[in-house]
Amino acid sequence: QKLFEILKWYIEGYIVCEKLNLKRNESAGNKGYDATDDEGRKHEIKTRKAIAWNKPHIFRVNKMQLESADFLIYAKLDDS
């Protein structure tokens, strides 16, 4: 679990934000989004690992996240 949390932080904070030119929201009190783009649009980033019970693409997003973010980005970790 701890390794996944580290990977999630790295993927969301560096890989996704770097590739999409987003600025990571580092605030611990942040509600509903993880990063912003140059136009101020909010992006919620979800990272999930593929395991037997959640294959292929099931993940939870709460209503507040959908209402406060302009975009939802899904990063899937698998064995490939």
Side-chain angles (χ1 to χ4, degrees):
Q1 184 65 16
K2 183 74 170 171
L3 178 59
F4 175 71
E5 291 301 317
I6 293 169
L7 284 172
K8 177 180 162 182
W9 181 82
Y10 174 73
I11 289 166
E12 291 179 2
Y14 291 97
I15 296 176
V16 172
C17 289
E18 176 81 17
K19 294 290 183 186
L20 298 177
N21 196 31
L22 301 175
K23 182 179 179 195
R24 177 88 164 139
N25 184 350
E26 299 295 340
S27 169
N30 153 36
K31 299 286 185 187
Y33 68 96
D34 296 310
T36 55
D37 60 26
D38 290 338
E39 296 178 24
R41 296 178 295 195
K42 299 172 185 172
H43 299 256
E44 173 65 19
I45 306 167
K46 292 292 187 185
T47 304
R48 296 293 182 264
K49 58 184 174 179
I51 55 178
W53 60 266
N54 74 350
K55 283 187 178 181
H57 303 290
I58 298 171
F59 64 98
R60 294 178 191 234
V61 179
N62 68 44
K63 185 177 179 182
M64 183 187 67
Q65 291 169 321
L66 290 175
E67 290 174 347
S68 62
D70 298 304
F71 296 94
L72 174 63
I73 300 167
Y74 175 59
K76 178 185 166 193
L77 305 177
D78 61 23
D79 293 334
S80 58

